[in-house]
Amino acid sequence: MIPPNEEVNAINIKEVAKAAGVSVATISRVLNHPEQVQPETKTHVLAVMESLNYRPNWFARGLNLGKTSTIALLVPNIESRRYREILSGVETVALKKQHIVMLCNTHADPDQEAEYLKMVVSRQVDGVIVASSMLAPAQLTTLIGPDQPWVHIGPGMGEACRNLCYINYEEGTYQMTTHLIKMGQTEIALLLDEAPLTEMKQVTEGYRRALREQLPGAGECILTEQDSPRGGFLITQRLLQNDALPPAMITASSGQASGVLKALQGEGIPVPEQMALACLSDSATCSILEPPLTALESPNKRLGMVAARMLFDTIEDNGEEGYGPQEVILQPKLKIRRSCGNTKPIYELFG
Protein backbone atom coordinates (compact mmCIF):
# COMPACT_ATOMS: atom_id res chain seq x y z
CA MET A 1 0.00 0.00 0.00
CA ILE A 2 1.17 3.54 -0.72
CA PRO A 3 1.54 5.69 2.41
CA PRO A 4 -1.64 7.82 2.84
CA ASN A 5 0.36 10.97 3.49
CA GLU A 6 2.30 10.72 0.22
CA GLU A 7 2.34 14.08 -1.57
CA VAL A 8 3.77 15.22 -4.87
CA ASN A 9 3.12 18.69 -6.27
CA ALA A 10 0.88 19.38 -3.22
CA ILE A 11 -1.59 16.68 -4.36
CA ASN A 12 -1.92 13.67 -2.11
CA ILE A 13 -3.56 10.32 -2.55
CA LYS A 14 -6.66 11.28 -0.54
CA GLU A 15 -7.34 14.23 -2.84
CA VAL A 16 -6.95 11.99 -5.88
CA ALA A 17 -9.41 9.50 -4.38
CA LYS A 18 -11.92 12.27 -3.64
CA ALA A 19 -11.66 13.72 -7.15
CA ALA A 20 -12.10 10.28 -8.69
CA GLY A 21 -14.97 9.36 -6.41
CA VAL A 22 -13.27 6.17 -5.21
CA SER A 23 -11.56 4.98 -2.05
CA VAL A 24 -7.88 5.43 -1.17
CA ALA A 25 -7.59 1.63 -1.33
CA THR A 26 -8.73 1.70 -4.96
CA ILE A 27 -6.08 4.29 -5.85
CA SER A 28 -3.43 2.10 -4.23
CA ARG A 29 -4.61 -0.95 -6.17
CA VAL A 30 -4.45 0.98 -9.45
CA LEU A 31 -0.81 1.86 -8.70
CA ASN A 32 0.36 -1.35 -7.06
CA HIS A 33 -1.87 -4.10 -8.45
CA PRO A 34 -3.66 -2.78 -11.56
CA GLU A 35 -4.63 -6.33 -12.58
CA GLN A 36 -7.02 -6.38 -9.61
CA VAL A 37 -8.97 -3.31 -10.80
CA GLN A 38 -11.80 -3.23 -13.33
CA PRO A 39 -10.53 -1.77 -16.65
CA GLU A 40 -13.05 1.09 -16.67
CA THR A 41 -12.19 2.03 -13.07
CA LYS A 42 -8.47 1.95 -13.83
CA THR A 43 -8.91 4.12 -16.92
CA HIS A 44 -11.01 6.63 -14.94
CA VAL A 45 -8.50 6.84 -12.06
CA LEU A 46 -5.51 7.27 -14.37
CA ALA A 47 -7.33 10.05 -16.23
CA VAL A 48 -8.00 11.87 -12.94
CA MET A 49 -4.34 11.48 -11.92
CA GLU A 50 -3.27 12.96 -15.25
CA SER A 51 -5.67 15.90 -14.94
CA LEU A 52 -4.35 16.65 -11.43
CA ASN A 53 -0.71 16.18 -12.54
CA TYR A 54 -0.34 13.62 -9.74
CA ARG A 55 2.96 11.72 -9.70
CA PRO A 56 3.33 8.98 -7.07
CA ASN A 57 6.48 8.60 -5.02
CA TRP A 58 7.79 5.47 -6.71
CA PHE A 59 10.66 5.00 -4.27
CA ALA A 60 8.28 4.92 -1.31
CA ARG A 61 6.02 2.62 -3.28
CA GLY A 62 8.94 0.31 -3.94
CA LEU A 63 9.93 0.13 -0.29
CA ASN A 64 6.35 -0.80 0.58
CA LEU A 65 6.42 -3.62 -1.96
CA GLY A 66 9.88 -4.76 -0.91
CA LYS A 67 11.40 -3.57 -4.22
CA THR A 68 13.12 -0.29 -5.09
CA SER A 69 13.56 -0.83 -8.86
CA THR A 70 17.24 -0.01 -8.32
CA ILE A 71 20.37 -2.09 -8.75
CA ALA A 72 23.92 -1.11 -7.82
CA LEU A 73 27.04 -1.49 -9.98
CA LEU A 74 30.45 -1.18 -8.30
CA VAL A 75 33.46 -0.65 -10.58
CA PRO A 76 37.10 0.07 -9.69
CA ASN A 77 37.72 2.76 -12.31
CA ILE A 78 34.93 4.43 -14.28
CA GLU A 79 37.53 6.31 -16.34
CA SER A 80 38.54 3.00 -17.90
CA ARG A 81 36.87 2.31 -21.24
CA ARG A 82 36.32 -1.30 -20.17
CA TYR A 83 34.13 -0.36 -17.21
CA ARG A 84 32.22 2.30 -19.15
CA GLU A 85 31.28 -0.36 -21.69
CA ILE A 86 30.27 -2.75 -18.90
CA LEU A 87 28.07 0.01 -17.45
CA SER A 88 26.47 0.51 -20.86
CA GLY A 89 25.60 -3.18 -21.04
CA VAL A 90 24.16 -3.24 -17.53
CA GLU A 91 22.04 -0.16 -18.23
CA THR A 92 20.71 -1.67 -21.46
CA VAL A 93 19.21 -4.61 -19.58
CA ALA A 94 18.18 -2.59 -16.51
CA LEU A 95 16.20 -0.14 -18.65
CA LYS A 96 14.18 -2.98 -20.15
CA LYS A 97 13.50 -4.19 -16.62
CA GLN A 98 12.43 -0.67 -15.56
CA HIS A 99 15.32 -0.41 -13.09
CA ILE A 100 17.77 2.41 -12.38
CA VAL A 101 21.49 1.65 -12.06
CA MET A 102 23.26 3.19 -9.06
CA LEU A 103 26.91 3.55 -10.13
CA CYS A 104 29.65 3.41 -7.49
CA ASN A 105 33.28 4.14 -8.49
CA THR A 106 35.51 2.52 -5.84
CA HIS A 107 38.82 3.79 -7.27
CA ALA A 108 40.22 0.27 -6.73
CA ASP A 109 40.22 0.96 -2.99
CA PRO A 110 38.95 -1.92 -0.83
CA ASP A 111 37.89 0.45 1.96
CA GLN A 112 35.79 2.53 -0.45
CA GLU A 113 34.32 -0.63 -1.92
CA ALA A 114 33.31 -1.82 1.54
CA GLU A 115 31.68 1.54 2.34
CA TYR A 116 29.75 1.56 -0.92
CA LEU A 117 28.50 -1.97 -0.28
CA LYS A 118 27.24 -0.96 3.16
CA MET A 119 25.43 2.03 1.65
CA VAL A 120 23.76 0.26 -1.27
CA VAL A 121 22.61 -2.64 0.92
CA SER A 122 21.19 -0.18 3.48
CA ARG A 123 19.29 1.53 0.65
CA GLN A 124 17.61 -1.78 -0.11
CA VAL A 125 18.66 -2.07 -3.75
CA ASP A 126 17.13 -5.06 -5.51
CA GLY A 127 20.54 -6.46 -6.48
CA VAL A 128 24.26 -5.75 -6.72
CA ILE A 129 26.84 -6.26 -9.47
CA VAL A 130 30.46 -6.03 -8.34
CA ALA A 131 33.14 -5.73 -11.03
CA SER A 132 36.69 -6.81 -10.16
CA SER A 133 36.24 -6.74 -6.41
CA MET A 134 39.25 -5.71 -4.34
CA LEU A 135 37.86 -7.47 -1.25
CA ALA A 136 38.46 -10.99 -0.03
CA PRO A 137 35.55 -13.28 -0.93
CA ALA A 138 34.62 -13.84 2.73
CA GLN A 139 34.51 -10.11 3.45
CA LEU A 140 32.52 -9.46 0.28
CA THR A 141 29.83 -12.01 1.13
CA THR A 142 29.61 -10.75 4.71
CA LEU A 143 29.03 -7.17 3.57
CA ILE A 144 26.44 -8.11 0.96
CA GLY A 145 24.59 -10.54 3.19
CA PRO A 146 23.01 -13.94 2.51
CA ASP A 147 19.72 -12.70 1.06
CA GLN A 148 20.95 -10.03 -1.37
CA PRO A 149 21.02 -11.12 -5.05
CA TRP A 150 24.43 -10.31 -6.53
CA VAL A 151 26.79 -11.10 -9.39
CA HIS A 152 30.56 -10.79 -9.63
CA ILE A 153 32.24 -9.76 -12.87
CA GLY A 154 35.55 -11.59 -12.70
CA PRO A 155 36.86 -15.00 -11.64
CA GLY A 156 38.43 -16.04 -8.37
CA MET A 157 35.44 -15.99 -6.01
CA GLY A 158 35.57 -19.70 -5.17
CA GLU A 159 32.34 -20.74 -3.43
CA ALA A 160 31.59 -17.20 -2.29
CA CYS A 161 29.49 -16.17 -5.29
CA ARG A 162 26.86 -18.26 -7.08
CA ASN A 163 26.95 -16.12 -10.23
CA LEU A 164 30.13 -15.18 -12.06
CA CYS A 165 30.84 -13.85 -15.54
CA TYR A 166 34.08 -12.66 -17.07
CA ILE A 167 36.23 -12.41 -20.19
CA ASN A 168 38.93 -15.04 -20.70
CA TYR A 169 41.89 -12.68 -20.54
CA GLU A 170 44.27 -15.54 -19.84
CA GLU A 171 43.58 -17.14 -23.22
CA GLY A 172 43.52 -13.74 -24.97
CA THR A 173 46.92 -12.78 -23.56
CA TYR A 174 48.28 -16.20 -24.44
CA GLN A 175 47.23 -15.67 -28.06
CA MET A 176 48.66 -12.15 -28.11
CA THR A 177 52.04 -13.23 -26.69
CA THR A 178 52.17 -16.23 -29.05
CA HIS A 179 51.52 -13.92 -32.01
CA LEU A 180 54.46 -11.72 -31.04
CA ILE A 181 56.70 -14.76 -30.68
CA LYS A 182 55.65 -15.98 -34.13
CA MET A 183 56.56 -12.53 -35.46
CA GLY A 184 60.12 -13.22 -34.24
CA GLN A 185 60.06 -11.51 -30.84
CA THR A 186 62.04 -13.21 -28.05
CA GLU A 187 61.94 -10.44 -25.43
CA ILE A 188 58.45 -9.26 -24.63
CA ALA A 189 57.52 -6.88 -21.81
CA LEU A 190 54.06 -6.86 -20.24
CA LEU A 191 52.69 -3.56 -18.89
CA LEU A 192 49.86 -4.06 -16.38
CA ASP A 193 47.45 -1.74 -14.61
CA GLU A 194 49.03 -0.84 -11.26
CA ALA A 195 45.76 -1.72 -9.49
CA PRO A 196 45.86 -5.43 -8.48
CA LEU A 197 42.71 -6.33 -10.40
CA THR A 198 41.64 -9.93 -10.92
CA GLU A 199 41.91 -9.41 -14.68
CA MET A 200 45.58 -8.53 -14.34
CA LYS A 201 46.18 -11.92 -12.68
CA GLN A 202 44.55 -13.59 -15.67
CA VAL A 203 46.71 -11.56 -18.05
CA THR A 204 49.88 -12.52 -16.20
CA GLU A 205 49.01 -16.22 -16.33
CA GLY A 206 48.38 -16.11 -20.08
CA TYR A 207 51.65 -14.26 -20.70
CA ARG A 208 53.67 -16.70 -18.62
CA ARG A 209 52.03 -19.75 -20.20
CA ALA A 210 52.92 -18.51 -23.68
CA LEU A 211 56.54 -17.93 -22.68
CA ARG A 212 56.78 -21.40 -21.10
CA GLU A 213 55.34 -23.12 -24.14
CA GLN A 214 56.70 -20.99 -26.97
CA LEU A 215 60.01 -19.69 -25.54
CA PRO A 216 61.25 -22.18 -22.93
CA GLY A 217 63.86 -20.58 -20.70
CA ALA A 218 63.01 -17.01 -21.76
CA GLY A 219 62.88 -14.43 -19.01
CA GLU A 220 59.76 -12.41 -18.23
CA CYS A 221 59.46 -8.65 -17.88
CA ILE A 222 56.34 -7.48 -16.03
CA LEU A 223 55.84 -3.77 -15.40
CA THR A 224 53.04 -1.82 -13.71
CA GLU A 225 51.74 1.72 -14.18
CA GLN A 226 48.47 3.61 -14.03
CA ASP A 227 45.96 2.62 -16.69
CA SER A 228 46.07 5.81 -18.75
CA PRO A 229 47.98 7.44 -21.64
CA ARG A 230 50.06 9.26 -19.02
CA GLY A 231 50.98 5.93 -17.42
CA GLY A 232 52.16 4.52 -20.73
CA PHE A 233 54.12 7.68 -21.51
CA LEU A 234 55.86 7.76 -18.11
CA ILE A 235 56.89 4.11 -18.09
CA THR A 236 58.35 4.46 -21.59
CA GLN A 237 60.33 7.53 -20.59
CA ARG A 238 61.79 5.65 -17.62
CA LEU A 239 62.72 2.70 -19.81
CA LEU A 240 64.42 5.02 -22.31
CA GLN A 241 66.33 6.83 -19.56
CA ASN A 242 67.60 3.50 -18.22
CA ASP A 243 68.43 2.20 -21.71
CA ALA A 244 66.07 -0.70 -21.02
CA LEU A 245 63.50 -0.37 -23.80
CA PRO A 246 62.26 -3.86 -24.73
CA PRO A 247 61.95 -4.90 -28.39
CA ALA A 248 58.29 -5.74 -27.84
CA MET A 249 55.59 -4.68 -25.37
CA ILE A 250 52.01 -5.65 -24.57
CA THR A 251 50.02 -3.06 -22.61
CA ALA A 252 46.89 -3.62 -20.53
CA SER A 253 44.90 -0.97 -22.39
CA SER A 254 44.78 1.13 -25.53
CA GLY A 255 45.24 4.19 -23.30
CA GLN A 256 48.58 2.92 -22.04
CA ALA A 257 49.56 1.93 -25.59
CA SER A 258 48.84 5.42 -26.96
CA GLY A 259 51.07 6.90 -24.24
CA VAL A 260 53.86 4.46 -25.11
CA LEU A 261 53.52 5.31 -28.80
CA LYS A 262 53.69 9.05 -28.13
CA ALA A 263 56.86 8.68 -26.06
CA LEU A 264 58.49 6.54 -28.74
CA GLN A 265 57.55 8.94 -31.53
CA GLY A 266 58.93 11.82 -29.48
CA GLU A 267 62.31 10.08 -29.52
CA GLY A 268 62.09 9.10 -33.19
CA ILE A 269 61.79 5.40 -32.40
CA PRO A 270 59.69 3.68 -35.10
CA VAL A 271 57.03 1.04 -34.40
CA PRO A 272 57.30 -1.85 -35.17
CA GLU A 273 60.82 -1.57 -36.62
CA GLN A 274 62.49 -0.91 -33.26
CA MET A 275 59.70 -1.93 -30.93
CA ALA A 276 56.60 -4.02 -31.56
CA LEU A 277 53.56 -2.77 -29.63
CA ALA A 278 50.19 -4.37 -28.82
CA CYS A 279 47.42 -3.85 -26.26
CA LEU A 280 44.79 -5.94 -24.50
CA SER A 281 41.91 -3.52 -25.01
CA ASP A 282 40.84 -2.67 -28.53
CA SER A 283 39.18 0.66 -29.32
CA ALA A 284 38.31 2.76 -32.35
CA THR A 285 41.56 4.67 -31.72
CA CYS A 286 43.68 1.54 -32.25
CA SER A 287 42.75 1.27 -35.92
CA ILE A 288 43.50 4.93 -36.79
CA LEU A 289 46.82 5.35 -34.98
CA GLU A 290 50.00 5.13 -37.04
CA PRO A 291 50.82 2.34 -37.16
CA PRO A 292 47.44 0.73 -36.35
CA LEU A 293 47.70 -1.19 -33.08
CA THR A 294 47.32 -4.94 -32.75
CA ALA A 295 44.79 -5.37 -29.96
CA LEU A 296 42.49 -7.72 -28.10
CA GLU A 297 38.84 -7.06 -28.82
CA SER A 298 36.83 -7.79 -25.66
CA PRO A 299 33.01 -7.98 -25.53
CA ASN A 300 32.72 -5.64 -22.54
CA LYS A 301 29.22 -4.35 -23.26
CA ARG A 302 28.00 -7.89 -23.76
CA LEU A 303 29.66 -8.82 -20.46
CA GLY A 304 27.67 -6.10 -18.69
CA MET A 305 24.46 -7.39 -20.30
CA VAL A 306 25.22 -10.95 -19.22
CA ALA A 307 25.89 -9.81 -15.64
CA ALA A 308 22.61 -7.87 -15.53
CA ARG A 309 20.61 -10.77 -16.95
CA MET A 310 22.12 -13.13 -14.38
CA LEU A 311 21.22 -10.67 -11.64
CA PHE A 312 17.61 -10.26 -12.77
CA ASP A 313 17.26 -14.04 -13.09
CA THR A 314 18.15 -14.25 -9.40
CA ILE A 315 15.95 -11.29 -8.40
CA GLU A 316 12.92 -12.65 -10.22
CA ASP A 317 13.44 -16.26 -9.18
CA ASN A 318 12.63 -15.68 -5.49
CA GLY A 319 13.95 -19.16 -4.79
CA GLU A 320 11.13 -20.77 -6.78
CA GLU A 321 13.10 -22.16 -9.71
CA GLY A 322 16.18 -22.96 -7.67
CA TYR A 323 18.70 -21.67 -10.21
CA GLY A 324 22.07 -23.30 -9.67
CA PRO A 325 25.38 -21.43 -9.73
CA GLN A 326 26.17 -19.86 -13.10
CA GLU A 327 29.58 -19.11 -14.58
CA VAL A 328 29.68 -17.48 -18.00
CA ILE A 329 33.03 -16.99 -19.74
CA LEU A 330 33.25 -14.79 -22.84
CA GLN A 331 36.09 -15.05 -25.33
CA PRO A 332 38.09 -12.09 -26.68
CA LYS A 333 39.32 -11.83 -30.27
CA LEU A 334 42.82 -11.01 -31.49
CA LYS A 335 42.83 -8.10 -33.98
CA ILE A 336 46.11 -8.25 -35.91
CA ARG A 337 47.34 -4.92 -37.27
CA ARG A 338 50.72 -3.46 -38.30
CA SER A 339 52.15 -2.45 -34.92
CA CYS A 340 53.66 -5.90 -34.36
CA GLY A 341 55.17 -6.23 -37.83
CA ASN A 342 52.29 -7.78 -39.75
CA THR A 343 52.39 -7.03 -43.49
CA LYS A 344 49.55 -9.27 -44.70
CA PRO A 345 46.64 -7.14 -46.02
CA ILE A 346 44.11 -9.85 -45.11
CA TYR A 347 44.67 -9.18 -41.42
CA GLU A 348 44.20 -5.45 -41.86
CA LEU A 349 40.99 -6.05 -43.82
CA PHE A 350 39.39 -7.99 -40.98
CA GLY A 351 41.20 -6.32 -38.07
Side-chain angles (χ1 to χ4, degrees), residues 223 234-246 267:
L223 310 167
L234 291 176
I235 193 73
T236 307
Q237 283 193 322
R238 288 199 294 270
L239 290 169
L240 287 168
Q241 290 168 2
N242 295 326
D243 196 25
L245 191 71
E267 296 295 326

Side-chain angles (χ1 to χ4, degrees), residues 52-334:
L52 296 175
N53 195 28
Y54 174 77
R55 297 293 180 268
N57 185 330
W58 292 107
F59 185 72
R61 169 179 178 265
L63 289 176
N64 248 353
L65 296 173
K67 299 290 183 182
T68 59
S69 296
T70 304
I71 63 172
L73 171 64
L74 279 69
V75 300
N77 179 13
I78 195 56
E79 294 180 12
S80 166
R81 178 174 172 270
R82 161 179 159 76
Y83 295 112
R84 291 198 303 271
E85 291 179 347
I86 287 174
L87 169 62
S88 177
V90 171
E91 286 184 325
T92 297
V93 175
L95 180 61
K96 292 180 180 178
K97 294 290 186 177
Q98 295 293 294
H99 275 63
I100 292 173
V101 180
M102 182 186 298
L103 177 64
C104 305
N105 184 16
T106 70
H107 301 279
D109 183 328
D111 291 334
Q112 286 193 34
E113 183 179 339
E115 285 302 310
Y116 269 128
L117 283 173
K118 292 175 185 176
M119 285 191 285
V120 299
V121 170
S122 70
R123 281 162 173 74
Q124 301 182 43
V125 295
D126 295 341
V128 180
I129 299 173
V130 183
S132 309
S133 177
M134 306 298 292
L135 299 173
Q139 184 182 8
L140 190 58
T141 53
T142 298
L143 287 166
I144 292 176
D147 301 320
Q148 178 73 68
W150 71 290
V151 172
H152 185 254
I153 297 178
M157 283 289 111
E159 299 297 320
C161 185
R162 294 177 70 250
N163 297 308
L164 304 171
C165 58
Y166 53 91
I167 293 170
N168 191 350
Y169 282 109
E170 179 178 341
E171 181 61 27
T173 309
Y174 174 84
Q175 293 178 11
M176 178 76 77
T177 308
T178 298
H179 171 66
L180 281 165
I181 293 170
K182 288 181 178 179
M183 295 301 297
Q185 300 297 335
T186 57
E187 298 178 38
I188 304 168
L190 178 64
L191 176 58
L192 302 176
D193 185 342
E194 62 184 2
L197 304 174
T198 302
E199 289 78 12
M200 295 303 101
K201 296 176 183 177
Q202 290 179 278
V203 166
T204 302
E205 286 304 311
Y207 167 75
R208 286 173 171 163
R209 179 158 64 92
L211 292 182
R212 286 196 306 268
E213 295 180 9
Q214 309 294 333
L215 286 176
E220 63 181 47
C221 177
I222 299 178
L223 310 167
T224 60
E225 247 300 345
Q226 60 180 263
D227 183 8
S228 67
R230 183 174 184 273
F233 185 83
L234 291 176
I235 193 73
T236 307
Q237 283 193 322
R238 288 199 294 270
L239 290 169
L240 287 168
Q241 290 168 2
N242 295 326
D243 196 25
L245 191 71
M249 180 183 287
I250 300 171
T251 68
S253 70
S254 57
Q256 284 181 331
S258 64
V260 172
L261 190 60
K262 180 175 177 60
L264 294 174
Q265 291 173 340
E267 296 295 326
I269 298 173
V271 174
E273 289 80 6
Q274 287 186 236
M275 192 178 94
L277 182 62
C279 68
L280 299 173
S281 174
D282 193 27
S283 69
T285 303
C286 292
S287 62
I288 62 174
L289 289 172
E290 186 54 44
L293 287 176
T294 292
L296 202 64
E297 181 182 68
S298 300
N300 295 316
K301 182 174 181 178
R302 184 180 165 205
L303 180 63
M305 294 176 71
V306 167
R309 286 170 181 152
M310 293 171 76
L311 183 65
F312 282 110
D313 280 348
T314 306
I315 292 170
E316 295 167 0
D317 175 36
N318 291 321
E320 295 174 2
E321 297 294 331
Y323 284 121
Q326 298 183 72
E327 183 171 359
V328 178
I329 305 172
L330 304 182
Q331 300 298 328
K333 179 181 178 182
L334 183 62

Side-chain angles (χ1 to χ4, degrees), residues 335-346:
K335 308 283 280 190
I336 298 174
R337 301 187 180 103
R338 288 190 286 116
S339 66
C340 292
N342 169 65
T343 56
K344 297 179 181 179
I346 186 66

